Amino acid sequence: MAPEKRPSVISATESPRAAHKLRLAQPPLSRHVRSLEEKLGTSLFARAARKVTLPAAGAIIYKETRTVLPQLLRAAEATRRFASGETVAVCFA
């Protein structure tokens, strides 16, 4: 799953609604989420009959990715602009 899609998955706790928001069918979305959970070694969602909630691990990744992913998206966009010949300012803190 592309990194820019993960916050949407996590913020929409109903799988069909998240799938619609991401323009994915629900089965591929479920596979992406399970793949991420396998890589992390923990469940990111607590699943019950037609109800999904965020356990502590899900809340942690949601909190952490909310700040990191926008930075990654800006970096990717700046890189694309640079690759297309646009002048891009680079600042080092």
Side-chain angles (χ1 to χ4, degrees):
M1 177 183 327
E4 61 271 13
K5 293 186 177 180
R6 289 187 186 131
S8 295
V9 171
I10 294 169
S11 65
T13 57
E14 291 181 26
S15 202
R17 183 174 43 167
H20 177 74
K21 185 175 181 179
L22 296 169
R23 297 185 185 107
L24 284 174
Q26 197 273 325
L29 174 61
S30 293
R31 284 193 299 272
H32 286 303
V33 170
R34 293 214 189 270
S35 174
L36 179 59
E37 289 174 326
E38 288 174 13
K39 289 176 183 175
L40 295 172
T42 190
S43 292
L44 299 175
F45 297 97
R47 297 163 181 90
R50 300 215 177 260
K51 184 175 181 181
V52 178
T53 58
L54 232 58
I60 289 169
I61 197 165
Y62 177 69
K63 178 183 177 276
E64 295 299 325
T65 59
R66 285 186 58 134
T67 58
V68 172
L69 289 176
Q71 293 171 344
L72 290 172
L73 293 173
R74 284 192 301 275
E77 180 57 29
T79 303
R80 279 192 285 278
R81 289 194 328 261
F82 175 79
S84 69
E86 188 177 328
T87 302
V88 179
V90 179
C91 300
F92 295 96

